[in-house]
């Protein structure tokens, strides 16, 4: 009997401990990021409201849980046959049934009120001061700053963590898998409207600390908004399964002061002008190979392999396309191969990058074609 | 009618051609256990890869195939058929019927299942690999961007949908037509009630799933654009159709589990179920609500705010009938005279863990908060609390509860309890930390994760290995009972058990209730 009682105690202890640890989640939240156990309140007003709502409902659940499990474990302990009790025979009570239908219903109304007002706030995308169009691609994000006077600024944001870290050949860095080559930049204390869409499959843009998660769906433009109150770098990930590298398309947002943002935007616009200038240049083989290698590693390597040996994509080493006519090779690079995972990169990388990567593919991995592609060739190919 | 009292045929033909509800029930149960082991093996691969950050064992593409097949095999291969097996065995015996109403269709609905899963499993060896788009197979990842094996997946879903519909029709026909005289609806055991309601859900939503996969098939092979935005279609339509099936589907899984628990708790509390009528009404309310809450899986797709509010309120309402059920079970225990044999232990585990899963479900129903929870490990934790600790625990309870009746032998109580405790501890080590990583920002269905999630993931993996191993113990227990369990011929195996199944001989003869029993 003693043994049995001990077992019952164990049975009782487990869930209570678990509930307590979930309840203490709030207290631990501030201590450190590693082994975080709770939702971050983040740096937005909406995030704080969501966090408060989350904690409110968690505590209501904890209280109900303690009551229900309390009654249950009291009963398990006291109403055991081994204690020589005779079972009662009572059953059916309309009054009790009505009580435990109505009381939870009232509690639910209490939850619905703050939930509704928070939801309405999340949906209020009016009066935004800045619009950013975010497009999900397999497996990267594109950010386009919509600029009413002057040119739009657009760029892709790729995972920066090297394959060597992912495959454990090197020690993993502090922001393993949550680092990108070019983060999105937003000004603090500014209402930023996010317009979300996708180029291929459904993705979902999620940054916990900005309290935004919204699906990016091909053919749709979804709206969300955020307003960071503190400068800092906020990290998130794609939340909707989008294929092979779903786990490798992080979101990084750098919230900076308005001045810093303005100079960043001006810098971006200047760089765009510079690229336009580069388009008119002629490059040497070495320059093209060097640029091409970088473009390859960023855009092609995941599917075609580090040595062009193939993988999800076909092999490039010795392939008919990479060792065939330049125009055919350009066509695949620019327009992709419909019905396969090979995307149309014509709109994703600029003409300089395209020229470089095509040249690289034709002269690396043992493909010694010896020919070069210049940005003007890419431009001409695109424009017939 | 000369051979009316024949026993089972000999050899393989007994199983191939049988129309006996007990044989078919047995086959369903063994098949679902095999699928449980297969789906579990996939889960072990997932947890082994997630043991540490970095890619160690498998490639991301294969990881996605594992998460997809794990979900499909567990939902359609393990949990659903296991409860159909239980229904086959128990419903005729509980309502005093000699067999199921449509015995030949019964044979057919079982025997198309193994080929369907063979086809699904064979996709692993096809070029391009198995389906890798998750068990929810959202378009266009599952259409334009899917591997060629998707066509086999669609065929397999069609076949097992047919199996489910036939099984459901059979249960409805049996319950409506074959109850013993005097067995009115409101005298039926709750397991029969929950299954009757489940069967209606199945008939209503399996054709919707068939519609979804047929539209996929058309998009892939016949040039339509139901789900392709480029052709004027709508990828979100897929989600609406899928979840119109998918949400009732989760109640299809959990309602029979409610039925099992409602049979077992009164037995071991030696006290009648507190509110039989309200349990029936609560089950029916849950079934009704299941049809009007589907879009709570889609809070982040960008619905209009009015739709968002409707689905939030409707979803929150489910907490009311679910609460009624939990309160009823606890009140049934109150002032009973309880003992804690293995089936009761599993029901206690169910009650605690399912309630925790219900709490997280309530949290998830709150749309603004769901913007943070959605598609994170918090969701993974939530549905494993209801699917595993809900459905699988109650299934384990059912097997221990009725096994002596089925084979006339007692299982070893020590082994049964060991199975329970290892399962209970392993389960919680696996899934409780997943709440934490989910809240802290870890998305679901990723093969690799950021370093701050490492410790909890390792814990989760260790728990999964413990839980997985405990199911081998389950298999051992069942086989050991059948082979060398202590024989029993008590009609009423459990002191406090009520119901017609406890009035027939033990082990249950091949044919029972050839003459309808008298029901008071």
């Amino acid at each position: 009997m003693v043994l049995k009682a001990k077992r019952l105690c164990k049975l009782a202890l487990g869930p209570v401990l678990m509930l307590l640890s979930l309840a203490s989640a709030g207290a631990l939240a501030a201590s450190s990021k590693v082994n975080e156990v709770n939702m971050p309140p983040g740096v937005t007003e909406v995030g704080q409201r969501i966090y408060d709502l989350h904690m409110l409902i968690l505590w209501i659940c904890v209280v109900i849980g303690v009551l229900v499990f309390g009654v249950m474990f009291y009963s398990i302990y006291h109403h055991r046959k081994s204690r020589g009790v005779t079972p009662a025979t009572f059953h059916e009570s309309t009054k009790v049934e009505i009580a435990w239908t109505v009381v939870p219903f009232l509690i639910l109304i209490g939850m619905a009120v703050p939930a509704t007002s928070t939801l309405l706030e999340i949906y209020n995308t009016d009066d935004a001061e800045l619009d950013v169009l975010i497009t999900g691609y397999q497996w990267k994000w594109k950010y386009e700053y919509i600029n009413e006077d002057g040119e739009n600024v657009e760029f892709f944001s790729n995972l920066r963590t090297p394959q060597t870290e992912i495959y454990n050949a090197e020690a993993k860095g502090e922001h393993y898998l949550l680092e990108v080559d070019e983060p999105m930049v937003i000004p603090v204390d500014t209402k930023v409207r996010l317009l979300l869409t996708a180029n291929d499959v459904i993705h979902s843009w999620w940054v916990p600390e900005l309290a935004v998660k919204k699906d990016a769906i091909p053919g749709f433009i979804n709206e969300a908004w955020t307003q960071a109150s503190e400068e800092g770098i906020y990290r998130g990930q794609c939340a909707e399964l989008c294929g092979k590298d779903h786990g490798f398309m992080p979101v990084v947002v750098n919230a900076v002061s308005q001045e810093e943002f303005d100079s960043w935007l001006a810098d971006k616009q200047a760089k765009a002008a510079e690229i336009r200038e580069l388009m008119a240049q002629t490059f040497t083989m070495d320059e093209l190979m060097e640029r091409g290698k970088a473009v390859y590693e960023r855009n092609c390597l995941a599917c075609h392999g580090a040595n062009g040996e193939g993988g999800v994509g076909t092999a490039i080493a010795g392939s008919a396309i990479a060792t065939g006519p330049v125009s055919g090779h350009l066509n695949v690079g620019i327009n992709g191969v419909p019905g396969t995972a090979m995307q149309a990169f014509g709109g994703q990388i600029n003409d300089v990058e395209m020229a470089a990567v095509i040249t690289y593919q034709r002269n690396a991995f043992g493909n010694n074609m010896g020919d070069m592609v210049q940005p003007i060739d890419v431009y001409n190919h695109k424009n017939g | 009618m000369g051979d009316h009292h024949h026993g089972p045929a000999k050899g393989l033909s007994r199983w191939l051609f049988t129309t006996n509800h007990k044989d078919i029930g047995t086959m369903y149960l063994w098949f679902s256990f095999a699928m449980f082991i297969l789906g579990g093996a996939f889960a072990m691969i997932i947890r082994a890869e997630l043991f540490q950050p970095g890619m160690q064992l498998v490639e991301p593409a294969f990881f996605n195939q594992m998460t997809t097949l794990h979900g499909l095999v567990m939902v359609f291969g393990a949990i659903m058929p296991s409860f159909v097996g239980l229904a086959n065995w128990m419903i005729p015996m509980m309502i005093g019927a000699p067999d199921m109403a449509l015995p030949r269709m019964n044979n057919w609905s079982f025997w198309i299942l193994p080929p369907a899963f063979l086809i699904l499993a064979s996709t692993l060896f096809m070029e391009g690999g198995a389906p890798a788009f998750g068990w929810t197979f959202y378009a266009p990842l599952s259409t334009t961007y899917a591997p060629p094996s998707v066509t086999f997946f669609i065929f397999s879903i069609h076949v097992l949908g047919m199996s489910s519909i036939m099984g459901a029709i059979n249960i409805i026909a049996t319950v409506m037509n074959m109850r013993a005289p005097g067995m009115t609806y409101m005298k039926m055991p709750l397991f029969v009630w929950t299954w009757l309601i489940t069967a209606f859900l199945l008939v209503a939503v399996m054709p919707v799933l068939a519609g979804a996969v047929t539209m996929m098939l058309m998009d892939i092979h016949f040039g339509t654009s139901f789900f392709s935005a480029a052709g004027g279609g709508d990828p979100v339509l897929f989600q609406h159709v899928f979840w119109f099936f998918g949400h009732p589907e989760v109640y299809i899984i959990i309602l029979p589990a409610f039925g099992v628990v409602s049979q077992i708790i009164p037995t071991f509390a030696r006290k009648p179920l507190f509110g039989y009528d309200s349990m029936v009404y609560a089950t029916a309310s849950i079934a009704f609500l299941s049809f009007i809450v589907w879009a709570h899986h889609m809070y982040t797709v960008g619905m209009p705010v009015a739709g968002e509010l409707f689905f939030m309120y409707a979803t929150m309402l489910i907490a009311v009938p679910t609460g009624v059920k939990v309160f009823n079970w606890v009140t049934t225990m109150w002032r009973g005279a309880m003992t804690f044999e293995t089936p009761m232990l599993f029901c206690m585990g169910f009650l605690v863990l399912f309630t925790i899963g219900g709490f997280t479900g309530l949290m998830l129903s709150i749309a603004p908060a769901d913007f943070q929870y959605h598609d994170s490990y918090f969701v993974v934790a939530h549905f494993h609390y209801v699917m595993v600790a809900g459905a699988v625990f109650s299934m384990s309870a059912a097997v221990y509860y009725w096994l002596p009746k089925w084979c006339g032998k007692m299982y070893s109580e020590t082994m049964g309890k060991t199975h329970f405790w290892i399962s209970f501890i392993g389960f919680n080590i696996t899934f409780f930390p997943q709440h934490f990583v989910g809240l802290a920002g870890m998305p679901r269905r990723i093969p690799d994760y950021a370093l701050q999630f490492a410790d909890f993931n390792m814990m989760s993996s260790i728990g999964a290995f413990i839980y997985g191993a405990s199911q081998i113990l389950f298999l051992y227990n069942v086989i050991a009972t059948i082979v060398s369990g202590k024989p029993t011929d008590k009609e009423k195996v459990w002191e406090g058990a009520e119901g017609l199944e406890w009035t027939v001989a033990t082990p249950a003869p091949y044919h029972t209730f050839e003459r309808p029993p008298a029901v008071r």
Side-chain angles (χ1 to χ4, degrees), chain A residues 288-289 292-293 296 306 355-365:
Chain A
L288 286 171
M289 287 297 278
K293 186 166 190 295
Y296 183 86
V357 78
I358 296 283
T359 306
Y360 178 71
Q361 290 183 2
R362 298 179 74 77
N363 295 287
F365 322 130

Side-chain angles (χ1 to χ4, degrees), chain A residues 97-341:
Chain A
E97 299 280 357
I98 289 175
W100 66 38
T101 306
V102 172
V103 172
F105 186 76
L106 295 176
I107 297 174
L108 289 179
I109 291 177
M111 293 177 182
V113 173
T116 304
S117 71
T118 307
L119 188 67
L120 292 175
E121 183 63 12
I122 290 174
Y123 265 73
N124 179 14
T125 53
D126 294 347
D127 305 321
E129 291 165 64
L130 175 68
D131 283 323
V132 184
L133 176 66
I134 302 174
T135 311
Y137 286 73
Q138 281 181 324
W139 294 277
K140 58 197 142 221
W141 296 99
K142 180 182 161 191
Y143 298 100
E144 185 169 356
Y145 288 72
I146 297 173
N147 200 344
E148 276 161 19
D149 25 54
E151 268 186 276
N152 288 357
V153 163
E154 58 173 72
F155 58 89
F156 279 85
S157 182
N158 294 284
L159 176 72
R160 203 182 61 194
T161 306
Q163 296 287 311
T164 46
E165 283 186 24
I166 295 172
Y167 286 90
N168 312 307
E170 265 179 63
K172 295 174 175 33
E174 190 191 350
H175 299 298
Y176 176 69
L177 294 189
L178 298 179
E179 51 196 349
V180 294
D181 53 359
E182 223 181 331
M184 177 185 182
V185 178
I186 57 168
V188 289
D189 297 323
T190 305
K191 187 166 181 176
V192 182
R193 178 163 45 206
L194 311 169
L195 304 165
L196 296 121
T197 186
N199 184 57
D200 33 53
V201 299
I202 300 175
H203 303 269
S204 188
W205 195 87
W206 181 25
V207 181
E209 282 167 312
L210 297 180
V212 176
K213 182 186 287 130
K214 200 83 175 183
D215 292 0
I217 303 172
F220 285 75
I221 294 182
N222 270 335
E223 285 182 39
W225 67 276
T226 190
Q227 182 166 359
S229 60
E230 277 174 42
E231 291 182 27
I233 295 173
Y234 306 111
R235 296 167 199 276
Q237 282 178 271
C238 176
E240 182 65 62
L241 177 62
C242 56
K244 177 174 79 76
D245 284 345
H246 162 54
F248 304 94
M249 54 181 292
V251 176
V252 179
V253 178
N254 191 4
V256 298
S257 67
Q258 185 68 46
E259 302 82 67
E260 218 176 310
F261 175 78
D262 290 338
S263 75
W264 171 83
L265 197 65
D267 199 38
K268 274 290 190 193
Q269 281 164 332
K271 276 229 179 74
E274 202 177 299
I275 298 252
R276 270 196 304 282
E277 237 165 72
L278 277 178
M279 302 268 209
Q281 280 184 29
T282 305
F283 292 88
T284 66
M285 186 64 149
D286 287 346
E287 283 169 338
L288 286 171
M289 287 297 278
E290 192 191 328
R291 281 172 184 269
K293 186 166 190 295
V295 178
Y296 183 86
E297 280 166 2
R298 213 162 52 235
N299 294 285
C300 317
L301 181 141
C303 295
H304 294 287
N307 298 308
E309 73 275 20
V312 169
T314 53
I316 287 176
S319 84
I321 292 165
T323 59
V326 171
S327 63
H329 196 172
L330 271 172
N331 190 39
V332 170
I334 292 169
N335 301 317
V337 182
T340 71

